[in-house]
Every structure is written in structure tokens, then in C-alpha cells.
Amino acid sequence: MIHVENLTKYYHQFCAVDQISFDVPKGEILGLLGPNGAGKTTTMRMMTGFLAPSSGEILIKNLSITENPLEVKKIMGYLPESAPLYHDMLVFDYLHYVADIRELQPSVKPGRIRDLADLCALNDVMHKTIGELSKGYKQRVGLAHAMMSDPEILVLDEPTSGLDPNQIIEIREIIKKIGKEKTIFLSTHILTEAEATCDRIIIIHKGRIAADDRTEKLIQTAGNKSVINLCVQGATFEEVNTLITGIPGISRTEKGEEGGQTLKLKAFCDVAEDLRPAIYEKIKATPWLLLEFVRETRSLETIFRDLTKEN
Ligand code: ATP
């Protein structure tokens, strides 16, 4: 449905999106997850034809967005980060106005507006002006706008940004409902958001893809990772490191605080199995004292932090 290849965007000398490639199949809810400034909005603006790429290719249903911008825009609905709405219009009038600019036939227009008002739960506010709506309701009007022409693909830039927890849940439910029929590409910097809504997550950092996998696979991979914190007396970091890095499943060690005779270190494990017995067997054969021995399992959040932290 969507094919993105080596997509790159420079703002003058600054590379905001750096050769990213991915495909989105029909019917998938894909989350583009990344911290502020990662390049999410830039990617979405290029995918919806609002920003020209510096290089790379975007095909929407095999149509190049740069060569067929109008045709592609008919297939896509786009909800930008702050939906541009006319605040002095009634919701009802605004939806009719959007239907007219989308050239909906008069015979289908009332039915479509009714369906969207039901789907986006707008019936209670149809006769209110947009300016007096809460942010959550404004976002629903923006969603209804993006869906007016019944597009096959919806691109939603931070759809729950700035909403309170109840509003977030409501918008999430609407997105999931829409996702049963449409292909959805949404961006967020909130991990729980991506976890709750998306079939697949692409983690983007400094314009590059840091991870791309099915949501459940990412969560499972995270669950398979753990860190064992050790505090040892009577050994140097090099000695402990040499002893335990040979254990299958330990990917690396990291030196922590050192004080007097004691040394703290972390052993990073890439297997689901608890490697403490294997470490203990090795340390038991040395004259060192083991003062601390704690295993922490890794969550998707710590993986996200590892992938996106500075440096
Ligand atoms: P946020 O979550 O804060 O919205 P984002 O992941 O959407 O961030 P972008 O808005 O795509 O990130 O910005 C990516 C980088 O490009 C940032 O460093 C930003 O400062 C820079 N940038 C964005 N737009 C421009 C522009 N018009 N001119 C120069 N630099 C820009």
C-alpha cells in the first residue's frame, strides 16, 4: 500500500530524515515512534505530499507522490499535528464545507456526514462553534475532516498530543475502529500510545530507523532482555568482565561505581533465561565476595530509551 525507499530530507545542511525505507501493507496500523525532533512530522509531510523530499521515493498504491500528487491526495487523509480548523464555524457547517471542497455528491453528502458524526462521536456538538470545543472534540472534528473522502490511507500526526487521559482513550478507540478498514500511519512520542494502538512500530531517532517490528515482537524482545546488577568485593572490573563475558547470553558489561574494595557493574543479557546461576557458579570459584546480585527485566520503555537516548 505504501512503499518508502531511501527517503531523505535536508533543511539546508541539516539532515532531518536520513535514508529511511519501509513498506506498509493494506490494513496495518503502523506507529512512527520517536522523541521530539526525531523526524516524524517531516516524514509525514513528505508522505502526504506537503513537503518535497531531498531524495528517495514514496509510492502510494504504486503511484509516485511527486509525479501524481493530486491522485495520491485523493487516496489519503491527513490529520496534521494541530488540525487547521475554522474556529468560528459550527461543526455541522464545517463538515458540510469540507464535504463540498472534497466534491462529495449531494446524494452521498448527508449520509457521509452522519456516519462520520457517529464514528467520531460528534453528534452532541454538531451545533456548537468549533472554537468553543475542547481539544479532544477539535481533534475528532479534524479526524472527521481527514476521513471525509473515505480515504484508504490515513496519516495522523500525533493524534492524541495535548489531550487529557480520557480524551486519549476516546481517540485511541476511534483510531482502532477506523483501523479495521483502513491503513493507518500515525506518529507519536508516547510509547504506551504506540503499544496500545499499533500493529507495528517503527522507532525513529535523529532521522534514522532504530527499530522496526511487530508490536508484540518488540514487547517480547524487550521481555527477553535483562540486566544483572552486581557488586563485588576484591576484584577489578577487568577481572570480573573476563570471567563473565564468556557466558552465553551475556552481550556486554558496563562498569559502575568503584569505591574502596567494592566494584559495581552491570551485565546485559539477551536471553529470557535468568543467567544469575551461571554467573554465581563462576564467582563461587574465586576468592571475591558477592555483595549484591539483582536482576532487572527490561521493558519496551527501557529499550526505547536505549535506542533514542543522546549519544
Ligand atoms: P516533534 O515530536 O517535536 O514534533 P518530530 O519528530 O516531528 O518532532 P520534525 O518536526 O520532523 O521532528 O523535525 C525534525 C528535525 O528537523 C528537528 O531537528 C527540527 O528542528 C528540524 N526541522 C523541522 N522543520 C524544519 C524547518 N522548516 N527548517 C529547519 N529545520 C527544521
Side-chain angles (χ1 to χ4, degrees):
M1 193 64 136
I2 302 176
H3 174 73
V4 172
E5 201 169 321
N6 292 328
L7 185 65
T8 301
K9 179 69 190 178
Y10 276 90
Y11 293 113
H12 305 290
Q13 306 291 325
F14 176 71
C15 186
V17 174
D18 191 3
Q19 301 210 40
I20 63 170
S21 301
F22 57 88
D23 285 279
V24 191
K26 189 172 186 277
E28 186 166 79
I29 306 185
L30 172 65
L32 188 63
L33 177 69
N36 291 130
K40 303 179 296 294
T41 298
T42 303
T43 303
M44 299 202 134
R45 288 176 64 78
M46 288 192 282
M47 287 179 59
T48 45
F50 285 90
L51 191 65
S54 304
S55 61
E57 188 172 45
I58 303 168
L59 299 179
I60 309 290
K61 288 188 89 181
N62 289 325
L63 291 172
S64 158
I65 189 131
T66 35
E67 286 159 25
N68 313 274
L70 290 178
E71 268 176 82
V72 169
K73 278 181 188 171
K74 282 184 194 156
I75 311 171
M76 292 182 117
Y78 177 37
L79 177 69
E81 200 172 347
S82 14
L85 303 167
Y86 292 119
H87 283 214
D88 49 359
M89 276 177 109
L90 296 177
V91 174
F92 179 86
D93 292 341
Y94 180 75
L95 293 181
H96 276 263
Y97 164 74
V98 173
D100 289 340
I101 54 174
R102 290 286 178 174
E103 296 175 342
L104 259 68
Q105 294 298 319
S107 55
V108 295
K109 194 167 88 167
R112 182 81 195 129
I113 291 173
R114 250 194 326 270
D115 290 348
L116 286 174
D118 286 341
L119 178 68
C120 301
L122 287 169
N123 287 311
D124 291 347
V125 297
M126 288 300 266
H127 295 284
K128 286 194 174 178
T129 54
I130 292 174
E132 65 182 299
L133 300 182
S134 66
K135 191 146 198 286
Y137 270 104
K138 285 189 186 122
Q139 204 65 341
R140 296 185 207 185
V141 177
L143 260 179
H145 176 158
M147 293 185 61
M148 186 58 79
S149 55
D150 199 16
E152 290 176 64
I153 301 170
L154 266 180
V155 177
L156 313 173
D157 194 356
E158 308 232 1
T160 58
S161 147
L163 304 186
D164 72 31
N166 290 333
Q167 294 168 333
I168 288 178
I169 291 169
E170 285 161 16
I171 294 288
R172 253 187 219 163
E173 292 306 316
I174 296 173
I175 291 172
K176 280 203 209 154
K177 217 189 276 178
I178 300 168
K180 293 202 172 104
E181 289 172 14
K182 314 269 176 206
T183 304
I184 299 187
F185 186 59
L186 67 87
S187 76
T188 177
H189 60 269
I190 308 164
L191 184 71
T192 45
E193 175 79 23
E195 248 185 286
T197 325
C198 304
D199 304 318
R200 178 174 145 215
I201 297 175
I202 291 182
I203 299 179
I204 182 173
H205 179 48
K206 293 190 171 170
R208 290 182 169 219
I209 292 180
D212 174 357
D213 221 327
R214 309 285 308 161
T215 309
E216 68 274 7
K217 186 85 189 300
L218 277 175
I219 293 169
Q220 188 192 353
T221 309
N224 282 347
K225 290 181 189 267
S226 62
V227 178
I228 297 174
N229 295 293
L230 296 106
C231 180
V232 182
Q233 188 174 316
T236 63
F237 173 70
E238 287 68 29
E239 285 172 327
V240 184
N241 187 41
T242 310
L243 188 78
I244 67 173
T245 42
I247 297 172
I250 295 191
S251 56
R252 66 185 176 93
T253 57
E254 197 178 278
K255 191 174 175 180
E257 286 165 35
E258 211 171 359
Q261 290 271 294
T262 60
L263 158 84
K264 286 193 174 179
L265 80 151
K266 287 177 184 288
F268 290 83
C269 311
D270 278 347
V271 284
E273 182 194 342
D274 184 354
L275 294 179
R276 279 177 301 179
I279 295 176
Y280 182 68
E281 276 304 308
K282 296 244 178 196
I283 291 186
K284 208 169 66 173
T286 70
W288 312 332
L289 271 181
L290 191 55
L291 301 177
E292 213 175 283
F293 202 30
V294 180
R295 179 173 180 257
E296 277 172 36
T297 49
R298 314 279 278 160
S299 65
L300 189 50
E301 194 179 337
T302 46
I303 302 286
F304 174 68
R305 265 198 273 127
D306 285 351
L307 288 171
T308 60
K309 72 182 173 198
E310 286 309 305
N311 191 19

